[in-house]
Amino acid sequence: MRQEKGTAAVTVHTEGRKEKCEGQKGENLLAFFQRQGIFLPAGCGGEGKCRKCRVRFLSGASDPVKEEEEVFSRKELSEGWRLACRRRLEKNCEIFIESRQEEARGAQRESCFEKNFPGREQDRLLENLGIAIDLGTTNLVMQLVDLGEGRILSAYQAANRQGIYGGDVISRIKASNEGKREELQSIAREGLLKGIYALTEGHRRKISRISIGANTTMVHLLLGYSCRTLGTHPFRPVNLAPVSTTYRELLEDGGQDAEVWIFPGISAFLGGDLAAGLYALEVWKREKPVMLVDLGTNGEMALAFGGRILGASAAAGPAFESGGAKRGSEALELIWRLKEEGLMDETGRLKEPYFSKGVEVSGGGRYSQRDIRELQLAKAAVRAGMETLLWEAGLGYEEVEEVYLAGAFGCGVDIRKAAGIGLLPGVLAERVSPAGNTCLKGAVKVLLDPRGKEEVLEAAKAVLEVSLWESRKFQEFYMEHMGFEA
């Protein structure tokens, strides 16, 4: 490759692969990787705050800046570890990227189709397939469904590459309003196309129906809606109604002839993902009070009681997702242990030398005081949101029959330890049930249920939103649960 004047040659190493490319000197390294199609998580939108875009310079590293000195140990800095968002291309260099970052959680396919349906039986099922999709802020999850027998045939999971513009919906809205609307839509489409292509083995399998559950912001970005009124008071979405379209119209691709149905939203911050979860669990049909708490980026939750549903969104950020400083359940486990061993007090402050240096974690890296604060704020918001809904309903914890914890974090969390740091009230510990990905479950269910769309609308219309940011009680509960007391 002939190098032009004013450019820098970059050799990018990932586990098992090496690629040579060229960028303009002075170009931001995170933006350079994005242009090359290499994904690095950047929950803060590239402002040097989340510290997730770590790379290792094998050669050509310049002196570290302040943010990097706060993140990495002296040994790590000497080994060339830097933050891509704080780097600019200055000279020829070689850079190593951990594969788990390049594709945050990676694509996963566990197909049982060929094994279970050989020959003519397989050909029959090719004409009766659907795909259920959970388009999350942090992750994209899909399942290929046999519509005849209601079985999951294979699955696909990948990072939502819109994460380069921030780890939460507010940062995505901001990016859209600053001229990135078309690019964000393109990223969403490309993610869906890649997953569908993988599940259908390059479109060899033909699908007839697709259902998509997503929060209101993700729907706006996928459909190319303006976010101008979505991110400012009074937070008015362009559309909350369900969307019926086709694969060709939505994705501008001719690979499939399938109908597409997108779940309706409830409000700006209560989306189709919550509606899908309520529908999947049928909580509004329960006689006794039941809570659904989705511990994802948006912290959506609902309380169903007496035929009513109260819903709220407590901005948790990526702390409970894989896009956080450390995977949520592992972070919770670590914080619980630090508290139990007396290395951290109940206010969340680490004792020296850990306050200054952080705590070494398995697999490399360190968990810092800032990481603890990130989860601490998310924990307080979720707990305060739960208590605000109960207060609005005039109910106590003792009256709640069951709490469903949704999302990947909910499946991996140790309930006893979650209660031990105050994320969940101890009195409810025995009534908490991991519910998995309820958005995806709802998306699968609506593909199979002839009355599904009507029931989804029934569930969505039954929700009365409680605005936490306007609630004085939420602020009181938030401050009350800021610490890590059980």
Side-chain angles (χ1 to χ4, degrees):
M1 179 175 66
R2 181 179 177 184
Q3 188 172 340
E4 301 292 335
K5 186 177 181 181
T7 64
V10 183
T11 302
V12 181
H13 297 260
T14 56
E15 294 175 6
R17 191 176 69 182
K18 181 171 73 171
E19 180 180 354
K20 293 184 178 180
C21 38
E22 191 172 279
Q24 294 294 320
K25 288 184 177 179
E27 182 177 8
N28 178 272
L29 187 59
L30 184 63
F32 166 76
F33 283 136
Q34 175 190 346
R35 188 164 55 81
Q36 298 298 323
I38 298 173
F39 174 73
L40 289 176
C44 64
E47 297 183 1
K49 297 178 181 178
C50 70
R51 298 150 296 120
K52 301 178 181 74
C53 58
R54 46 180 279 156
V55 297
R56 183 184 179 187
F57 279 78
L58 304 179
S59 66
S62 57
D63 292 338
V65 297
K66 179 181 178 182
E67 293 92 337
E68 294 166 332
E69 290 176 339
E70 292 176 351
V71 175
F72 301 110
S73 65
R74 290 183 180 179
K75 181 176 182 294
E76 288 172 324
L77 291 171
S78 67
E79 292 173 343
W81 288 100
R82 300 289 189 272
L83 297 176
C85 71
R86 300 294 90 189
R87 297 282 104 200
R88 294 194 176 276
L89 290 177
E90 299 174 354
K91 53 187 174 182
N92 297 347
C93 57
E94 291 192 53
I95 300 173
F96 171 73
I97 299 174
E98 296 169 304
S99 60
R100 62 182 174 85
Q101 286 184 268
E102 184 187 4
E103 184 68 40
R105 294 178 73 174
Q108 300 175 354
R109 295 182 64 241
E110 298 178 358
S111 177
C112 61
F113 199 93
E114 295 286 355
K115 177 181 177 182
N116 292 331
F117 303 103
R120 297 174 66 178
E121 179 71 355
Q122 174 177 326
D123 291 337
R124 180 182 71 81
L125 289 178
L126 289 177
E127 300 176 355
N128 197 23
L129 300 176
I131 291 181
I133 299 173
D134 170 18
L135 176 56
T137 308
T138 304
N139 296 306
L140 169 65
V141 189
M142 303 183 183
Q143 289 180 341
L144 181 68
V145 184
D146 168 13
L147 300 179
E149 298 187 6
R151 295 201 298 166
I152 308 302
L153 302 177
S154 57
Y156 174 92
Q157 182 167 313
N160 184 339
R161 294 192 172 213
Q162 291 176 340
I164 57 178
Y165 292 112
D168 54 41
V169 295
I170 299 301
S171 59
R172 309 279 174 87
I173 291 171
K174 181 174 180 287
S176 175
N177 292 338
E178 292 177 349
K180 300 295 183 180
R181 187 204 303 186
E182 291 184 2
E183 186 170 347
L184 286 161
Q185 182 183 30
S186 177
I187 293 172
R189 283 175 168 173
E190 288 173 5
L192 295 182
L193 284 169
K194 182 178 178 182
I196 294 169
Y197 188 86
L199 288 175
T200 60
E201 297 188 355
H203 299 305
R204 187 177 67 83
R205 305 175 186 177
K206 296 303 177 182
I207 53 177
S208 60
R209 298 200 294 274
I210 297 173
S211 60
I212 302 175
N215 65 54
T216 305
T217 299
M218 293 302 106
V219 171
H220 275 56
L221 298 179
L222 173 62
L223 298 178
Y225 294 158
S226 169
C227 292
R228 290 291 174 190
T229 59
L230 189 60
T232 57
H233 191 267
F235 307 109
R236 292 176 179 165
V238 171
N239 175 49
L240 289 172
V243 175
S244 296
T245 181
T246 66
Y247 173 92
R248 292 173 182 265
E249 292 174 349
L250 178 66
L251 302 178
E252 297 184 347
D253 181 80
Q256 297 283 345
D257 289 308
E259 298 176 352
V260 178
W261 194 74
I262 301 175
F263 278 78
I266 298 167
S267 70
F269 297 109
L270 295 178
D273 49 353
L274 180 62
L278 293 171
Y279 161 67
L281 299 173
E282 298 186 348
V283 297
W284 77 96
K285 298 180 180 180
R286 299 276 289 269
E287 293 183 5
K288 296 183 179 180
V290 177
M291 297 193 81
L292 168 61
V293 181
D294 190 342
L295 292 175
T297 310
N298 303 318
E300 293 174 316
M301 58 190 70
L303 170 64
F305 63 104
R308 300 174 59 197
I309 305 177
L310 297 182
S313 176
F320 295 126
E321 297 273 28
S322 63
K326 187 173 172 60
R327 288 185 64 180
S329 58
E330 295 176 5
L332 183 146
E333 181 94 16
L334 175 63
I335 288 175
W336 178 84
R337 181 167 55 83
L338 290 171
K339 178 187 169 186
E340 288 295 301
E341 295 178 1
L343 302 178
M344 180 191 78
D345 63 27
E346 291 189 342
T347 71
R349 182 181 177 86
L350 287 169
K351 296 185 177 180
E352 290 292 1
Y354 305 108
F355 179 83
S356 301
K357 297 182 179 181
V359 181
E360 290 188 12
V361 294
S362 59
R366 308 183 75 83
Y367 203 75
S368 70
Q369 184 68 64
R370 188 185 298 181
D371 294 327
I372 290 174
R373 295 302 183 206
E374 180 182 284
L375 191 137
Q376 187 171 12
L377 295 174
K379 179 213 67 116
V382 169
R383 178 70 181 272
M386 294 173 65
E387 298 204 356
T388 302
L389 291 185
L390 287 169
W391 182 83
E392 291 282 350
L395 298 172
Y397 280 124
E398 67 282 355
E399 297 174 82
V400 177
E401 181 179 54
E402 191 166 12
V403 177
Y404 292 104
L405 281 189
F409 177 84
C411 287
V413 68
D414 184 312
I415 302 301
R416 180 177 64 88
K417 293 176 181 177
I421 66 168
L423 173 61
L424 300 171
V427 68
L428 272 181
E430 294 183 357
R431 286 171 276 159
V432 175
S433 302
N437 188 331
T438 54
C439 175
L440 192 63
K441 288 180 179 178
V444 170
K445 184 178 178 182
V446 83
L447 290 175
L448 304 170
D449 184 358
R451 291 195 64 253
K453 295 176 182 178
E454 296 175 15
E455 290 206 350
V456 170
L457 288 171
E458 180 184 340
K461 290 178 180 179
V463 179
L464 175 65
E465 183 178 21
V466 175
S467 178
L468 297 182
W469 73 278
E470 292 180 319
S471 169
R472 293 183 62 182
K473 292 301 296 184
F474 173 77
Q475 298 300 328
E476 292 175 13
F477 291 137
Y478 184 77
M479 296 306 299
E480 179 182 342
H481 296 293
M482 185 63 74
F484 287 110
E485 299 90 352

